Amino acid sequence: MAVTIDLSGRVALVTGGTRGVGAGIARALLAAGAEVVVCARRPPDHPVAADGRTARFLPVDLRDPAAAETLFARLGKDHGRLDTLVNNAGGTPYRLLADATSGHAVRVVELNLLVPLTASLAAYALMREQRGGGSIVMIGSVSGSRPSPGSAAYGAAKAGLESLARSMAVEWAPTVRVNTVVLGMVRTERTAMHYGDEQGVAAVGRTVPLGRLAEPAEAGDACVFLASELAAYISGASLHVHGGGERPAFLGAANAHPTT
Ligand SMILES: NC(=O)c1ccc[n+]([C@@H]2O[C@H](COP(=O)([O-])OP(=O)(O)OC[C@H]3O[C@@H](n4cnc5c(N)ncnc54)[C@H](OP(=O)(O)O)[C@@H]3O)[C@@H](O)[C@H]2O)c1
């Protein structure tokens, strides 16, 4: 039996949905029939669209709590409801801890942990008042559960984000479900910045058990699933979209035995 997910009549907000992973998530939600709003500081270079439908863009700097509050008020007023929030805006530049200022770490934690907290609170205020409740999806990272040299504050924030999601899932049940999509490496417009040319990207892809980086659409599929009725009993969960994760480093060492 074919399973199709129909999100028509649902309203979704994807933070940072103007490019990269977020645009992939927004397109997947559009393709599933949802009315999609994307927000970021700058408008997208190209309209975020799928199946002849385009996401609405709202400008905001989510680090500014008052601006974030205004955004959610506008959403409630214009769209009448909010069914899904995807807390995608995030990321970090590469910087070793000893080379960075503490201000840098604060900004990274602000964007990757506090911004999703503030946005989720605003979303909950809308979702708790409407029939059917809602679904919040955090975009996490494998950096949250393994050492992350060069992005330590980011890894710590992403670990905190998963913890936050689990607590929200308990506090806000049964009205709102809260889950985390934990991503490995995803191929975006910015991939070359991190991994170099196509050869470099392919070499990095070979370190992943499934042999490649994820596409933004694959992060989107996970979000569509978590937003849908198929996930009606899933809350407080972390869904890993990482191609099998990382092989243990010892497998590359001399005489290592794969079954130990
Ligand atoms: N790409 C990967 O391999 C990967 C791996 C694991 C996890 N992730 C996670 O996936 C998410 C997206 O990553 P990405 O690689 O697609 O990042 P990206 O290309 O840098 O996109 C980030 C998005 O967030 C927006 N944004 C940044 N700061 C903002 C702010 N203060 N207020 C509002 N919007 C803001 C950006 O737009 P503006 O700059 O115009 O504001 C942009 O739309 C992040 O949470 C990241 O941690 C990505």
Side-chain angles (χ1 to χ4, degrees):
M1 190 183 74
V3 177
T4 51
I5 296 181
D6 181 6
L7 299 182
S8 50
R10 311 274 186 96
V11 179
L13 171 66
V14 183
T15 69
T18 52
R19 63 167 188 257
V21 173
I25 295 169
R27 284 191 293 267
L29 289 162
L30 281 167
E35 203 176 312
V36 179
V37 178
V38 296
C39 66
R41 290 166 299 180
R42 290 171 291 265
D45 290 340
H46 316 284
V48 178
D51 292 354
R53 299 171 57 247
T54 305
R56 178 185 185 193
F57 169 71
L58 291 176
V60 68
D61 183 345
L62 289 167
R63 280 196 173 103
D64 174 352
E69 203 175 301
T70 305
L71 172 92
F72 279 89
R74 191 162 165 196
L75 256 179
K77 189 165 159 282
D78 294 356
H79 296 265
R81 56 187 294 119
L82 178 64
D83 299 280
T84 300
L85 165 67
V86 182
N87 277 309
N88 164 81
T92 184
Y94 178 91
R95 205 160 295 168
L96 292 170
L97 274 176
D99 297 340
T101 60
S102 58
H104 168 77
V106 167
R107 284 183 67 76
V108 169
V109 172
E110 190 182 23
L111 180 62
N112 289 282
L113 181 59
L114 299 181
V115 159
L117 169 58
T118 310
S120 299
L121 279 166
Y124 178 61
L126 292 174
M127 290 171 174
R128 69 193 295 189
E129 298 301 331
Q130 66 193 19
R131 238 184 83 211
S135 162
I136 296 175
V137 181
M138 309 292 194
I139 300 301
S141 165
V142 292
S143 293
S145 56
R146 60 145 161 73
S148 298
S151 56
Y154 170 79
K158 291 295 193 185
L161 191 61
E162 274 186 79
S163 167
L164 190 66
R166 286 192 293 269
S167 298
M168 286 175 174
V170 174
E171 287 197 18
W172 297 350
T175 314
V176 174
R177 294 182 295 105
V178 189
N179 293 291
T180 305
V181 169
V182 181
L183 297 176
M185 293 173 287
V186 186
R187 178 194 279 268
T188 70
E189 304 90 319
R190 300 188 151 198
T191 296
M193 226 167 68
H194 300 292
Y195 309 121
D197 61 10
E198 279 303 314
Q199 268 191 326
V201 174
V204 170
R206 284 193 291 277
T207 67
V208 178
L210 290 187
R212 61 175 176 82
L213 275 60
E215 296 298 325
E218 292 170 315
D221 289 342
C223 293
V224 166
F225 167 67
L226 289 172
S228 77
E229 285 307 307
L230 290 179
Y233 199 64
I234 301 179
S235 195
S238 292
L239 174 53
H240 288 72
V241 179
H242 62 2
E246 287 178 31
R247 292 183 180 87
F250 76 82
L251 287 182
N255 302 323
H257 196 294
T259 58
T260 53

